[in-house]
Amino acid sequence: MSNPQQLRYSKEHEWLTAAEDGVSTVGITEYAANALGDVVFAQLPEVGDTVTAGETCGELESTKSVSDLYAPVTGEVTETNQDVVDDPSLVNSAPFEGGWLFKVRVAQEPDDLLSADEYTEFSGN
């Protein structure tokens, strides 16, 4: 399992792109997607919602369990991935590409985001 080097990671297993014009893309890691099993439902934050780093902003339901989705940063949601709502299995098949979850205009970034190498060590992968 390879975690893309250009992303940053939370200890709740979300990934975050570097901000482009202040907006970052958020998803869950391949490690988290594999641990969840087959994702069958995604409840994502709505456009215009304010999310807070470390707090619940949605949930993913799999054939195994329901898991909270945590915001890795604080900011305003600018877009959600309708493709994932329509086909939640994208979270499993393409967690770092088409399975992204939402985009957020970053207002504040926590100090504890991890590099790819730090996340790999943290998650044991």
Side-chain angles (χ1 to χ4, degrees), residues 44-67:
L44 304 178
E46 299 286 328
V47 171
D49 285 354
T50 298
V51 296
T52 303
E55 293 190 6
T56 303
C57 63
E59 67 181 29
L60 297 173
E61 183 177 330
S62 72
T63 54
K64 292 182 183 179
S65 66
V66 176
S67 180

Side-chain angles (χ1 to χ4, degrees), residues 73-89:
V73 294
T74 299
E76 180 182 341
V77 175
T78 62
E79 185 179 347
T80 58
N81 188 348
Q82 187 61 43
D83 291 342
V84 165
V85 173
D86 295 340
D87 181 7
S89 71

